[in-house]
Amino acid sequence: MSNTHFGFESVDERDKARRVRGVFDSVAPRYDLMNDLMSGGLHRAWKAYTLLVANAQPGDRVLDIAGGTGDLAMAFAKKVGPAGRVVHTDINEAMLRCGRDRMLDAGLALPTVVCDAEKLPFPDASFELVTVAFGLRNMTHKEAALAEMNRVLTARGKLLVLEFSRVAKPLQKAYDWYSFKVLPLLGQAVAGDADSYRYLAESIRMHPGQDELKAMMRKCGFGHVDYHNMTGGVVALHVGIKC
Ligand SMILES: C[S@@+](CC[C@H](N)C(=O)[O-])C[C@H]1O[C@@H](n2cnc3c(N)ncnc32)[C@H](O)[C@@H]1O
């Protein structure tokens, strides 16, 4: 038996995925509203920048991992057009259902697959682009997931990891106050769930920082890795090229 972290708690590895599922089952109906409230709408800019860096072309095949309510999958679908293909995936059915409903409301029907990023049900070299936004942090075996993302990419394919990261020192105090005091209160008021938003703040602190994640991606087969800090390092976009 081996232990891992769930926020600041140490839990049996076999238990983490169940605990993470509980978080997203609970927050799914209010997920989009909470994203806007918590980030003051900034998550839209972070995702828009991800799209810009991805530079998806018409006809590209894109895999969105931990796609949740589908922000990125929907945006990529516009970029790749009818000749391309975007597969919207997540381990959590409740999150995927919310995403699928939003897409159908927008007149979009994308292939949607419930799957674990650590064991992707896709053949080798089947996507030019793989994206994972705010998902890697929640995975139990991050290296296994990154290796899977590498496996399903074509040669010279691109992985984009958008994730919370380490903030610049001058922002730390205010950011900690906001994360540990304000977020749980907001979570309680809007989603009726303070614990899930406490987990969010804790899981960010336990996630590898910019350089550590870069090294991890290199180890998992990405010959070139770079990162772009956003909002003073609140979020970083890591770009890995399979080469
Ligand atoms: C914070 S949400 C991000 C949703 C979306 N990508 C976004 O940016 O709004 C994190 C997502 O990661 C998913 N997730 C957690 N562990 C996963 C795993 N092992 N495989 C696939 N998805 C996972 C959760 O179910 C959840 O939907």
Side-chain angles (χ1 to χ4, degrees), residues 23-39 43-44 46-47 64-72 88 90 92 94-96 98-99 102 132-135 137-138 162-164 186-187 190-192 196-197 199-200:
V23 166
F24 290 102
D25 279 345
S26 162
V27 304
R30 292 286 173 140
Y31 179 81
D32 292 321
L33 174 63
M34 273 301 286
N35 259 359
D36 276 330
L37 291 175
M38 285 186 308
S39 71
H43 77 104
R44 293 170 186 261
W46 299 330
K47 286 169 180 162
D64 186 26
I65 293 177
T69 57
D71 281 352
L72 278 186
H88 174 220
D90 199 287
N92 186 294
M95 292 289 282
L96 273 184
C98 292
R102 280 178 77 200
V132 55
F134 305 110
R137 194 185 68 250
N138 300 294
L162 179 65
E163 190 52 270
F164 292 106
L186 202 58
V190 177
S196 292
Y197 289 90
Y199 161 74
L200 167 66

